[in-house]
Each structure stands twice: as structure tokens, then as C-alpha cells.
Amino acid sequence: MLLGGSAGGHLAALVATRPNHWQDVADELAKTVPARPDALILLYPVINTSAQSSSINRYLGADASDELRRDIAPAAHVDAETPPTLIFHAADDPAVSVEDSLTFARACWKAKLPMELHVFSSGGHGKDFAYDKDIGPRWRQIVADWIQKLP
């Protein structure tokens, strides 16, 4: 199982959808242990890699090529092997648009994959979301319940 939030959510989604893309051929462990997680939990993930994504532009620069942007776009690489996914986002997130989570969810739904999306009306981003007195306990209980249902 792999969990990631914000930029870490982007990385987690990328590992889940392109597990061998950046594999080091000299890595002995990678030859015996699959990189793709068996389940994925994303918290307010950065998914949009377009030129309009301020999050991605901070990392790549605004002049990054379209080819690179496609290469690191997790939703573009969702396939039948993408693991069951649970996504959380707050609609009032000031840092990452809820559209990012919707983009990944739509790709999973289109591929008919097990995917669950929870969008809270408030909760912000990062620490605000995780420790909000109402949302914090709710999303953690949803995670616990979801894990119990995994095969």
C-alpha cells in the first residue's frame, strides 16, 4: 500500500501507474519485488501537469516540454493494473485544486477500476486537512474501513 499527499500524492500516483518507468536496471531488489503498490491512497494529490499547474511549474519550470508533462501525468497512465485507489480532497483546498483528484478519479472510473473518492466541503490542504477536528477523524475512519474491504 502506498499513501501520498500533495506533491507526495503525485509521486505515489506516478509509482502506481508507471512503476517500472524509472527503474534502475542495477537494482537487485527491483528484479524480485514489484514496484507497483497493491493499493493507493491519495490525499489532495497534485495530478494536473499542464502548463496551468502552478504546483508542477514550481518543480519543472513553466517552460517544461509537453512531452515531459505527459510523461509525469499519472492520470494519463492509468491502466488495468492500477491498484484500488482511495482519494481524499477538500473543495476549499487553496494549494491544489479538487479538479486534480477528479481527473485521477475519472481516469480510474473510465478504466472501470476500484476507486473511491471523498471530497469534503472544507478542510484546506496538508496539516489543515489532516488535523481538522471534524475531517481528520472522518477520513482516518474511512481509510480503516476501506482497508478492511481490500482483497
Side-chain angles (χ1 to χ4, degrees):
M1 181 171 311
L2 187 57
L3 180 146
S6 196
H10 178 263
L11 180 58
L14 206 51
V15 168
T17 58
R18 306 201 73 195
N20 300 316
H21 189 65
W22 293 283
Q23 182 176 333
D24 181 348
V25 294
D27 183 348
E28 291 298 318
L29 183 61
K31 293 175 184 173
T32 58
V33 177
R36 190 185 308 267
D38 57 356
L40 179 63
I41 301 172
L42 302 175
L43 308 168
Y44 36 86
V46 174
I47 298 296
N48 178 6
T49 61
S50 73
Q52 290 74 41
S53 172
S54 61
S55 297
I56 293 296
N57 287 342
R58 280 193 295 275
Y59 299 110
L60 300 180
D63 59 345
S65 71
D66 289 342
E67 180 182 2
L68 176 58
R69 289 175 186 282
R70 277 190 302 277
D71 198 37
I72 64 163
H77 304 289
V78 167
D79 63 19
E81 300 300 313
T82 301
T85 303
L86 177 62
I87 305 175
F88 295 95
H89 214 115
D92 68 347
D93 187 327
V96 178
S97 171
V98 72
E99 281 298 322
D100 283 49
S101 286
L102 290 169
T103 296
F104 197 81
R106 284 184 195 108
C108 291
W109 289 326
K110 183 177 181 182
K112 300 187 181 345
L113 299 171
M115 203 290 308
E116 194 170 309
L117 170 66
H118 295 267
V119 178
F120 297 98
S121 60
S122 63
H125 186 80
K127 188 173 91 171
D128 294 340
F129 184 89
Y131 296 108
D132 180 275
K133 66 181 176 10
D134 295 321
I135 294 173
R138 286 175 43 206
W139 80 262
R140 287 190 286 277
Q141 184 60 55
I142 292 168
V143 168
D145 294 343
W146 185 76
I147 289 171
Q148 292 298 317
K149 293 184 223 172
L150 289 173

